[in-house]
Amino acid sequence: MARPESVEELSEIVGRAHRESRTIAVYGGGTALDDHPPGHTPGLLIDIGGLNQVIEHSPGDLVLVAGAGATIADLNAVAETGDQELLPDFPADRTDSGSTLGGAIATRSVGPRRIGRLPLREVVLGVTVVLADGTIAKAGGKVVKNVAGYDLSKLMTGSWGTLGIIASAALRLYPKPQTQGYVEIPGAEAALEAIGSQVAPAAVEIDRSPGGQASTVVMVEGLEESVTSRTESIVNTYPGAQRCVEPSWWARRAQAPVTIRASVSPALVPQLVGEIARLEDTIGYPIQLRGSAMGVFDLGIGDLDSDPTIATRVVLEHLRSWGQKQLSATVLCAPASVWGEVDAWGEIPGFGLMRTVKDQFDPDGLLSPGRGIGGL
Ligand SMILES: Cc1cc2nc3c(=O)[nH]c(=O)nc-3n(C[C@H](O)[C@H](O)[C@H](O)COP(=O)(O)OP(=O)(O)OC[C@H]3O[C@@H](n4cnc5c(N)ncnc54)[C@H](O)[C@@H]3O)c2cc1C
């Protein structure tokens, strides 16, 4: 394993590996190493933890520039000194375990407040990247209006280390809301209406434990007085709705041997929740559902006592044929034995374009082979 302390050292290491035709994988915080299991053991593992400096923090410009190995938790603490926060809502369980800026960008990390917030790719204002042959490339700048190199920042978001190694990034910051309030509504039927309602929720999440009933939790944020009146309005609008504290499952992924990521249009969410309950009954296998009312869900398949391979295959096939293909279902995380036995990706729209970009950035296929979308 190599642990560079500067972008120049990272560039030298990558350039040498390129000349020796060695494959490379990057280790950030290691919290997503079970997601998208790599197809091959890398020739060289690069620990990016040495590049963890805060390069610039400008609260007035709402910009934070840091090394890719800085942890999200540390960067949030820095932003808080200016009463600000990182705009994307990074998942709490991964942040608590040390996920890094580079890892969060590479995996296109998301959390519950995706409703009112810009997606991560819009918040990454600039990146410094070491390309497959060791060349250092820079895009964007710390100034919000500078859009030069915008595409490279977007390309790196969700690239899973397959297009280049992120050495540092500039992120846009946002003012930290004064407080948050939560309301629980039984079932999933109210979720769509709640998203578009006048209370302007910051998040609407749905959780259903295996064998249980689904519940919807609406979160609003802002000034104390406004949060109180908006939570009251939700309680008065929906039968059975009750104020609650932040649920223990909030911003945490389903805990199960296999996680399937299912995406569906928000209008179909109640049907999907019902379909999962029926599927669970039919196959007699526990399925946990958790995610955003916007239609992006993690399905946790199985328990620790049984082999989830067959159940995973059945759930994937059923969902892909359900609702006239209005739903996409891919495996996010699974033991290698399951991953190899199921069609983890299914049909990926735009895969040809992704292949072309990969071939241009990494013609020799040395960067994180097998780790990208569709096994790129
Ligand atoms: C589509 C998608 C959605 C997700 N949604 C959620 C969610 O809703 N909730 C949740 O809890 N988690 C989610 N995750 C996982 C979450 O993003 C990760 O747990 C975390 O942010 C990764 O940080 P890490 O430092 O631990 O990365 P690691 O586990 O160390 O690495 C993860 C990947 O990123 C690459 N990588 C790491 N650092 C760099 C770098 N500097 N340059 C280039 N590549 C690098 C690695 O090679 C590897 O492929 C999601 C992941 C994906 C792909």
Side-chain angles (χ1 to χ4, degrees):
M1 185 189 298
R3 189 180 156 94
E5 300 287 330
S6 67
V7 59
E8 291 75 21
E9 200 186 331
L10 174 64
S11 156
E12 267 172 44
I13 292 167
V14 175
R16 202 177 318 125
H18 182 253
R19 289 190 295 279
E20 294 167 1
S21 295
R22 292 171 78 188
T23 57
I24 296 176
V26 187
Y27 184 93
T31 66
L33 289 185
D34 291 340
D35 297 354
H36 294 201
H40 314 271
T41 306
L44 176 67
L45 186 61
I46 299 180
D47 175 359
I48 211 77
L51 301 180
N52 61 355
Q53 304 80 6
V54 172
I55 298 165
E56 187 159 349
H57 176 213
S58 316
D61 290 337
L62 296 162
V63 172
L64 181 61
V65 188
T71 67
I72 297 296
D74 284 350
L75 296 181
N76 258 322
V78 171
E80 253 184 72
T81 61
D83 267 339
Q84 292 167 348
E85 62 179 1
L86 304 186
L87 173 75
D89 196 15
F90 297 107
D93 51 344
R94 303 301 177 102
T95 301
D96 292 351
S97 311
S99 75
T100 58
L101 177 60
I105 295 172
T107 58
R108 198 171 53 84
S109 195
V110 282
R113 289 183 292 177
R114 65 194 99 194
I115 292 179
R117 305 210 158 206
L118 291 171
L120 181 59
R121 64 176 182 280
E122 304 289 348
V123 179
V124 180
L125 301 172
V127 283
T128 299
V129 176
V130 173
L131 301 175
D133 63 357
T135 308
I136 300 172
K138 291 186 188 190
K142 74 177 183 66
V143 180
V144 175
K145 283 184 191 136
N146 182 351
V147 291
Y150 206 47
D151 285 350
L152 185 58
S153 306
K154 283 188 176 166
L155 270 184
M156 296 310 292
T157 308
S159 63
W160 280 88
T162 61
L163 300 180
I165 299 173
I166 305 162
S168 67
L171 281 191
R172 178 178 184 155
L173 300 174
Y174 273 71
K176 198 171 163 61
Q178 194 180 69
T179 191
Q180 274 126 4
Y182 298 82
V183 178
E184 182 174 357
I185 309 171
E189 289 71 22
L192 181 60
E193 195 187 302
I195 293 174
S197 71
Q198 291 205 339
V199 299
V204 180
E205 292 281 291
I206 297 173
D207 181 63
R208 178 189 171 277
S209 300
Q213 298 295 318
S215 74
T216 300
V217 173
V218 181
M219 190 260 261
V220 292
E221 59 185 6
L223 295 174
E224 193 93 46
E225 208 176 307
S226 152
V227 166
T228 306
S229 80
R230 283 146 74 211
T231 47
E232 208 170 279
S233 158
I234 303 167
V235 169
N236 293 335
T237 307
Y238 300 102
Q242 289 184 357
R243 270 204 195 85
C244 63
V245 293
E246 182 183 291
S248 57
W249 49 264
W250 192 260
R252 280 156 210 280
R253 279 186 23 187
Q255 294 299 316
V258 173
T259 306
I260 291 176
R261 173 65 51 99
S263 307
V264 74
S265 98
L268 288 177
V269 164
Q271 280 150 275
L272 174 68
V273 173
E275 193 64 22
I276 293 300
R278 273 191 293 282
L279 193 54
E280 189 182 63
D281 268 356
T282 312
I283 64 176
Y285 223 78
I287 308 178
Q288 183 172 30
L289 174 144
R290 183 175 296 166
S292 167
M294 293 296 282
V296 183
F297 290 95
D298 286 346
L299 306 176
I301 312 289
D303 50 38
L304 296 174
D305 301 326
S306 49
D307 179 351
T309 310
I310 294 173
T312 302
R313 192 180 297 135
V314 172
V315 173
L316 283 172
E317 284 173 6
H318 183 77
L319 290 180
R320 285 173 187 160
S321 63
W322 177 78
Q324 292 82 47
K325 291 196 182 282
Q326 294 175 79
L327 180 143
S328 93
T330 55
V331 180
L332 184 59
C333 168
S337 56
V338 178
W339 193 277
E341 291 294 318
V342 300
D343 176 7
W345 295 105
E347 212 175 292
I348 301 173
F351 185 72
L353 183 61
M354 290 183 206
R355 172 89 266 166
T356 307
V357 174
K358 170 72 176 169
D359 288 345
Q360 278 167 3
F361 274 78
D362 181 22
D364 302 317
L366 298 179
L367 298 180
S368 299
R371 202 83 206 275
I373 309 278
L376 274 179

